[in-house]
Structure formats: structure tokens, C-alpha cells
Amino acid sequence: MKSILKVLVLGLLATGCATDPVKKDVAGDGLPVWISQPCLNQPVEALCAVAESDFAATDVEAAKTDAETACKNKLADQLQAQVGRLTELSRTAMKDLGKGKVYGERSVKDINQNFQEISLRGLRYTEYFYYPDRVAPKKLWVRAVVTVDTNKFSQDMMAAMTEEAAADKLEIKHEEAMLRFEAVRKQYLDEKAAKAP
């Protein structure tokens, strides 16, 4: 059962931004390419966000804070959506076949919350761009990146669900659980493919 859960969770969490070896310099509009491609040259596990601020002309530090806050909020939303969708799909698959209860529901909720908080602590602001220049900027862009440790998350989730299921004496039928997990994995990957640019 543990191997099934590990395959499911690792498969579902294989998300992030693709990294194409494109030149990182400037696009045709004079702006850095990372403004339109936030995950450019970042690891596959990374979630990325770019935000801008118009405050730079009056207060550069306020502009930085404004753009950084917007980036952090965007990354929090991405992380919540990624983990939330996995949880939603998993709940339908992880039901005890004898009592109709959800397998490890309390543990999954706690782990999701902790995972999101810990992941956001690793957020870093990797790039700043001042337009038209740093001396007299009118606008400022910031790129933020957070690397998601999906392997640790899947291990924690699997261990907690198994422990809670055992404590609640839930019954999991191996063959049916495997079919459910495969259906969930396919649904998640189909949704991800449909949203891909």
C-alpha cells in the first residue's frame, strides 16, 4: 500500500515550470525574458512569479516591497492550488471500502498546511529590473522563486495517512485502491496538460 501511495503522490506532484535553455537577456521590447517567462532557467520543481510596481519613480524601496509582496502572494496561491488539487483528487480515491470514511483525511489537511508554510520560507527574490534604468526608474519588476520538495511531502503524506488509517482501523482493498489511484493520477495529469501553454 505504501508503494502505491508513493507512486500516486510523486506522480501528482511532478509539477513546476519547465526550463528551456533560452537566452536570459532581453526580449524585443527591451525587458528581460524572465518577466514573461518567470521559470526561465529554474529547476523543474520550482514555482515562480513575477510582479511589477509603479512606485519606483517616487520610492524605490516601497516599489521593491510592493512587488515582493505581490510575488509572495502569487506563489502562495500557486502552492495552495497545487496541494489543494492533489488533496481534492486523493480524497475521492482514498476511501475506506468498509466504512466509507476518507483514508487519512485529518493528517493530509495538517500536512498540507505545514508543507505550504515551510515551502514559502524558502522563497527567494532572484531578479530585479528597473525601467528605464536604475538611476531614475519609473517601474520595477521582481522575480521570486520557491523550490518545492515534493519527495519529502509525498513521504510525509504517505506515512501520516497510513498511520491514521491504522489507528482508525480502516480497510483498504489493494486492487481497488490501485485502480482508484491510477484514475486520480490520470485525471490530474490530463488537467495539467490541458492548462499547459
Side-chain angles (χ1 to χ4, degrees), residues 122-141:
L123 181 153
R124 49 196 202 285
Y125 302 102
T126 60
E127 309 274 352
Y128 293 85
F129 180 74
Y130 302 83
Y131 179 84
D133 56 53
R134 178 131 191 186
V135 178
K138 294 179 182 168
K139 208 176 247 198
L140 163 76
W141 280 267

Side-chain angles (χ1 to χ4, degrees), residues 15-19 39-48 124 145 147:
T15 60
C17 301
T19 57
C39 281
L40 182 69
N41 298 327
Q42 296 302 316
V44 175
E45 303 81 24
L47 296 177
C48 316
R124 49 196 202 285
V145 176
T147 303

Side-chain angles (χ1 to χ4, degrees), residues 83-125:
V83 173
R85 186 60 185 144
L86 168 62
T87 303
E88 179 188 330
L89 289 173
S90 298
R91 278 187 182 136
T92 61
M94 298 173 190
K95 278 200 176 174
D96 169 61
L97 302 179
K99 300 175 184 175
K101 292 178 76 179
V102 176
Y103 177 56
E105 187 172 30
R106 293 187 310 272
S107 299
V108 170
K109 185 178 176 185
D110 292 343
I111 288 168
N112 285 352
Q113 183 63 37
N114 291 339
F115 176 69
Q116 291 177 57
E117 288 173 5
I118 289 166
S119 295
L120 283 175
R121 283 185 212 146
L123 181 153
R124 49 196 202 285
Y125 302 102

Side-chain angles (χ1 to χ4, degrees), residues 11-30:
L12 293 176
L13 285 173
T15 60
C17 301
T19 57
D20 293 329
V22 183
K23 283 187 177 178
K24 90 173 207 182
D25 293 331
V26 238
D29 56 6

